[in-house]
Amino acid sequence: SIDCGVFSWLFAWQPPRLVMVCLVSRRSIRQRYQAALLSFFEGRSQARAAAAVAGLVGRCSAREVVAQAAERFRDLELSALRFENIADNKPDPMLFALSSPAPLHQCDAFVSHSWHDDAGAKWEAVQQWRKSFIT
């Protein structure tokens, strides 16, 4: 307010606050900004992960690592996976034949596992996840 001819800077902050309240009270605008923020932070997270992998790989930049990953990335429909594919503790080359090239960020889940884990427990965990994902 203006008190004794002196302008208060606290008053100057009221219009921007009013605009922010209006913006966040509209669900569609709030969701759009939340999605933009999520995308921004996910991108930063992926860049950090790529940089970490690049450091482990050696003389590759993060950009090169991401390019190689995009070129090599494959996915596998869980409906095509059989218990026999994971029953043995040796990698199964048939899994590669069951997979197909896919763009990064287009698969529903990334599963990493050890061939030395109990095959039955691993199979049960994957099937439980698949069931909850489908329903």
Side-chain angles (χ1 to χ4, degrees), residues 9-98:
W9 286 106
L10 293 175
F11 181 73
W13 284 103
Q14 297 312 312
R17 286 181 181 170
L18 181 60
V19 169
M20 288 301 294
V21 167
C22 291
L23 288 177
V24 298
S25 65
R26 296 201 51 196
R27 184 177 185 169
S28 61
I29 294 174
R30 187 174 63 242
Q31 288 174 335
R32 190 174 334 139
Y33 282 109
Q34 286 172 341
L37 283 172
L38 181 62
S39 176
F40 171 76
F41 286 116
E42 281 180 346
R44 290 179 59 98
S45 175
Q46 291 168 358
R48 285 186 182 134
V53 170
L56 293 172
V57 170
R59 296 185 183 114
C60 292
S61 70
R63 187 176 309 256
E64 290 171 310
V65 169
V66 172
Q68 286 182 20
E71 187 177 307
R72 298 175 184 176
F73 192 75
R74 299 177 71 83
D75 68 1
L76 170 70
E77 293 282 333
L78 280 180
S79 60
L81 186 66
R82 302 286 175 246
F83 178 76
E84 296 77 32
N85 299 124
I86 64 169
D88 196 359
N89 70 351
K90 296 178 183 158
D92 183 358
M94 289 303 298
L95 285 174
F96 185 83
L98 293 174

